[in-house]
């Protein structure tokens, strides 16, 4: 590759690297926000579901109506993400339970520790039910937590966006070549011709009034100065050559006349 084109590659590299670094920083920030937002959203949804289940199950617990509790749990079938759920009485004994048909695991016999737990693509919540400050039961729910699929989807989308951004950055860089690198390449081409052909009449084309334009003006001024000095030097050399030839001719005439005098 011609060394005069290396500045183009450098400009492409700078633009692409800048775009990549900007995308990496912004992508990392968006990724962390997405994971945090997804976690908060799933916990909020599960808390709302647990509150609704606890509210609907309270009468069943107060009147010890297991059939009503089972009906309340069967409503969860419309939520495909919920793996299992259970209602326990005030003593921690299983009152009613629900398990999604494709789930092989069993519902815990006793309530788990109160709160939210996340792990192994699962999210579960255990929430006590109070009526007038008295514990009447406990609600337990376990749902899918597809964090891994969320990350894979996010990475795929971000990779596509990154590739598109890099392609766009390189395309913009190529478009900017005519305004940034072309004047510099023109100056380099003129300098090469001047060095190879000793032709100081060449001039670089000025295409802008920025620093590159100032460089073209300075380069052309330098060429004009070199051309002027070269012209003066060539004129002086011609005069010296003429004077030397005249002296040589005069010397030959003197030698001829001396020979005539001797004869």
């Amino acid at each position: 590759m011609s060394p005069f084109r290396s500045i183009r590659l450098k400009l492409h590299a700078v633009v692409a690297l800048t775009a990549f670094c900007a995308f990496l920083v912004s992508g990392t920030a968006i990724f962390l926000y997405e994971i945090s937002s997804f976690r908060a959203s799933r916990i909020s949804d599960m808390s709302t579901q647990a509150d609704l289940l606890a509210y609907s199950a309270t009468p069943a617990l107060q009147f010890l109506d297991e059939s009503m509790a089972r009906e309340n749990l069967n409503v969860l079938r419309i939520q495909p993400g919920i793996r299992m759920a259970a209602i326990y009485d005030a003593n921690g004994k299983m009152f009613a339970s629900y398990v999604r048909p494709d789930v092989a695991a069993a519902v815990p016999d006793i309530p788990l520790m109160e709160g939210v737990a996340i792990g192994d693509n699962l999210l579960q919540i255990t929430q006590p039910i109070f009526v007038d400050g008295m514990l009447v039961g406990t609600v337990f729910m376990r749902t899918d937590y597809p964090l891994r699929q969320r990350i894979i989807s996010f990475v795929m989308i971000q990779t596509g966006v990154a590739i598109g951004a890099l392609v766009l950055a390189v395309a913009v860089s190529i478009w900017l070549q005519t305004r940034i690198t072309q004047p510099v390449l023109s100056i380099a081409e003129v300098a090469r011709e001047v060095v190879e052909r000793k032709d100081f009449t060449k001039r670089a084309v000025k295409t802008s009034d920025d620093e590159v334009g100032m460089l073209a003006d300075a380069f052309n001024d330098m060429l004009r100065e070199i051309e002027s000095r070269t012209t003066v030097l060539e004129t002086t050399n011609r005069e010296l050559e003429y004077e030397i030839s005249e002296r040589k001719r005069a010397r030959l005439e003197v030698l001829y006349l001396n020979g005539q005098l001797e004869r």
Side-chain angles (χ1 to χ4, degrees), residues 42 46 49 73-84 98-103 122 141-146:
R42 298 292 290 189
M46 280 293 292
Q49 292 285 343
L73 290 176
N74 286 333
V75 177
L76 299 177
R77 296 180 184 274
I78 63 176
Q79 299 289 340
I82 296 179
R83 287 174 168 252
M84 61 180 63
Y98 161 78
V99 179
R100 198 171 66 190
D102 63 329
V103 176
L122 297 175
M141 298 180 67
R142 180 179 293 172
T143 184
D144 295 329
Y145 187 67

Side-chain angles (χ1 to χ4, degrees), residues 108-175:
D109 294 330
I110 58 175
L112 301 178
M113 184 179 297
E114 179 183 347
V116 177
I118 299 176
D120 195 22
N121 292 326
L122 297 175
L123 186 151
Q124 63 186 29
I125 183 171
T126 303
Q127 180 174 312
I129 304 173
F130 291 96
V131 175
D132 297 330
M134 182 179 298
L135 178 67
V136 296
T138 303
V139 168
F140 166 78
M141 298 180 67
R142 180 179 293 172
T143 184
D144 295 329
Y145 187 67
L147 179 62
R148 186 178 305 169
Q149 291 80 358
R150 189 83 171 189
I151 292 175
I152 293 174
S153 300
F154 181 84
V155 170
M156 292 178 63
I157 294 173
Q158 289 294 91
T159 301
V161 173
I163 294 174
L166 290 178
V167 171
L168 180 60
V170 173
V172 172
S173 176
I174 294 173
W175 177 73

Side-chain angles (χ1 to χ4, degrees), residues 13 51 83-84 148 176 188 202 208 239 259:
D51 289 338
R83 287 174 168 252
M84 61 180 63
R148 186 178 305 169
L176 290 175
K202 297 288 185 179
S208 61
E239 292 176 353

Side-chain angles (χ1 to χ4, degrees), residues 198-219:
K198 307 300 180 183
D199 183 5
F200 299 103
T201 62
K202 297 288 185 179
R203 295 293 182 267
V205 179
K206 181 180 178 180
T207 59
S208 61
D209 294 326
D210 54 9
E211 291 82 356
V212 178
M214 294 174 59
L215 175 62
D217 287 337
F219 183 74

Side-chain angles (χ1 to χ4, degrees), residues 213-224:
M214 294 174 59
L215 175 62
D217 287 337
F219 183 74
N220 290 334
D221 291 340
M222 181 187 66
L223 288 180
R224 279 190 287 268

